[in-house]
Amino acid sequence: GTGEHDYSVQADIYKFIDDFTLLGTVGYKMRGDPTGVDLENVFFGSVGGIYQFTQTTRGGLIFDYRESAFASSDSIRELTGFVSRPINEEWRVQFYALTGFSNSSPDLSGGVLIKRAFE
């Protein structure tokens, strides 16, 4: 980190339509200004949807946008697709792939997330 405090405000919106969830986020981040670095305050947001294919399997697409904290860099624009399903009652696995649409975003990325629920 920069050693300075950042502050954000954001709103999240969800709309449930049968087995589909439409979602969106809009926000603004005020960056701390460390000595010798000029950081910009930035807008950010996302829009996407999640579909429940079966009782246990869901997947979706989410587009993220974040303005760059540096005036000389591109904003981040990325699209992520994912599928998530349980392994058993405690464990869940999610596979995802991401592609970027700017020089500040990766061309292609992917991975696996494993989540465990604790009672």
Side-chain angles (χ1 to χ4, degrees):
T2 64
E4 298 292 327
H5 294 287
D6 295 339
Y7 299 94
S8 297
V9 61
Q10 80 178 51
D12 298 311
I13 301 166
Y14 298 89
K15 174 71 175 171
F16 300 100
I17 307 164
D18 297 322
D19 292 334
F20 183 74
T21 304
L22 183 63
L23 53 96
T25 297
V26 64
Y28 188 73
K29 181 177 278 192
M30 294 140 296
R31 303 233 183 227
D33 281 322
T35 305
V37 179
D38 186 24
L39 297 174
E40 304 286 329
N41 295 334
V42 297
F43 285 101
F44 60 91
S46 62
V47 64
I50 302 169
Y51 185 77
Q52 184 140 358
F53 296 105
T54 68
Q55 190 70 8
T56 59
T57 303
R58 55 186 172 242
L61 287 172
I62 299 174
F63 179 80
D64 288 307
Y65 171 82
R66 286 168 274 165
E67 286 184 321
S68 175
F70 298 98
S72 60
S73 296
D74 287 344
S75 297
I76 294 171
R77 296 183 304 276
E78 301 169 345
L79 181 65
T80 304
F82 65 91
V83 174
S84 175
R85 63 171 289 117
I87 298 170
N88 58 34
E89 288 191 23
E90 294 178 342
W91 293 90
R92 186 169 197 86
V93 64
Q94 177 175 307
F95 300 93
Y96 70 90
L98 177 147
T99 188
F101 302 99
S102 74
N103 288 329
S104 294
S105 299
D107 291 334
L108 191 60
S109 177
V112 177
L113 297 170
I114 298 176
K115 176 179 154 182
R116 181 173 191 265
F118 294 95
E119 290 189 30

